[in-house]
Amino acid sequence: MTSPVEPAEHHTPRAGQAGNPATGAVPRTGFRRVLAGSMAGAVLEWYDFAIYGILAATVLGPLFFPGDSGIVKLLLALATQGLGFVARPLGGIVFGHLGDKFGRQPMLVTTFLLLGLSTACIGLLPTYGQIGIWATVLLVVLRMIQGFALGGEFGAAVLMVSEYGEPRRRGFWAAWPQAGAPLGTVLATALVTVVAFLFPGEAFDQWGWRVVFLVAIPLLVIGFWIRRSVEESPVFQAAQASAEARAARAERSSVLEALSRPRPVLHGLGMRLGENIAFYIYTVFVIAYAANSFDYARGDVILAVTFASLFQFFGMLGGGAWSDRVGRKTAMLVPAVVLVAWAPAFFWLIHLETLPGLWLGVCVGAFFHGMLAGTEAAWITELFPTRHRYAGASLVFQGSSIIAGAPAPLIAVWLIDSFGVGTVIGYLVLTMAVTVVAVATSKETRGARLDALD
């Protein structure tokens, strides 16, 4: 009987070996360390992003952006949040190429350090009232560094777990780094709530908010200690040892190589289009829509969305595990179709203006989004050969974030303001239909041996 924190099969490799690239079998302690390191980074990265989003409107706008207009300060703070999205594809390209050339483990450590240090530095920044425009400039730079690091971090975390885990349970293990997103969001919301309770009013606005950013320091120390001792992926080691792989890496960038065989990239981007937009509609757009258009208190909406993150977490792990049984395509098609059907029900429940209806709408949406997103981590990994897997996966993950995720709340607000709620439902249905087509026309990859793809 296997432990819940290790692959079902394992052996002790010979000296100098991290594991068997064919089976993904590694010693128990080795796989636990890989999983813990990947999860630590995933939680920290989304904690960092969520913290800025929560505090942008209430604290960071007034403190770091000049001007007399409150709305201008708010817009500038939110625009700076968007810069993190802009930097993510660049980070994916840079770290994707370096990770395919030098290994996943160095990128795992580098991106984690960049992410944690930039977050902690935001907590130490002097404000606009203290050093003028330089405070604004430094905040923008640190947000760009956060986005740049996140662009490379997520690909490394997913690939390490995927390349270590055995094929028949890869879907479940790869879903864990993916599930770091809702855990990071819950941690960020909970910590802001606790700190605001301990230091209410002016104390929080003047200095209490810094505590929330500085919490990144102990998280960074723990995560760095875990990640530093993680060995390189056995699949990457095997590919690196082959003369063919070395020649391919010397020939050109792994990013260009991934783009030269665009079918897997296009399938991945198509799948992520609807999935990404659904996430931001059900979690970000709904806060503004429910609070501004109906008689919901903003705090009640945020609480519902935060609680729904737990449903999303379990949906991700459940979706990943289910994909190991029924296949990646079925495990993604079912929740994608459910999300299409749920779109009109979601808005109908919001329009009821009852808290039970609100909670039901966001929790069901978050759960089925989690099932879809939890499966995609292993599937995207299995689309690419080792020599450009990091680059290809990063192009898919981060490219879709800037194409689909970043503009989704803005597009939804414009549609509902200009044409009514029916167009937002159509927006969700149309983009999710692209996801369904992308998945349906892709190949089944469940149980694929990653070394065989090479």
Side-chain angles (χ1 to χ4, degrees), residues 200-223:
E202 284 191 21
F204 182 82
D205 292 342
Q206 290 178 1
W207 61 269
W209 63 272
R210 296 182 183 276
V211 175
V212 185
F213 284 98
L214 293 175
V215 166
I217 295 176
L219 293 176
L220 177 65
V221 172
I222 295 170

Side-chain angles (χ1 to χ4, degrees), residues 49 78-89 140 142-151 398 402 406:
F49 252 60
L78 294 176
T80 305
Q81 182 183 14
L83 287 176
F85 280 96
V86 174
R88 282 168 64 175
V140 170
L142 289 172
R143 276 299 289 169
M144 293 290 285
I145 293 173
Q146 276 187 323
F148 180 73
L150 195 152
Q398 307 310 332
I402 192 70

Side-chain angles (χ1 to χ4, degrees), residues 419-441:
F419 305 105
V421 68
T423 54
V424 180
I425 296 173
Y427 176 48
L428 266 171
V429 170
L430 180 63
T431 53
M432 193 58 69
V434 175
T435 289
V436 170
V437 171
V439 173
T441 56

Side-chain angles (χ1 to χ4, degrees), residues 20 71 156 163 171 216 265 287 298 322 364 376 404 414 418:
N20 186 334
I71 189 64
E163 291 181 344
V265 175
I287 295 176
R298 181 173 292 269
W322 193 44
V364 171
E376 76 181 12
W414 173 73
S418 303

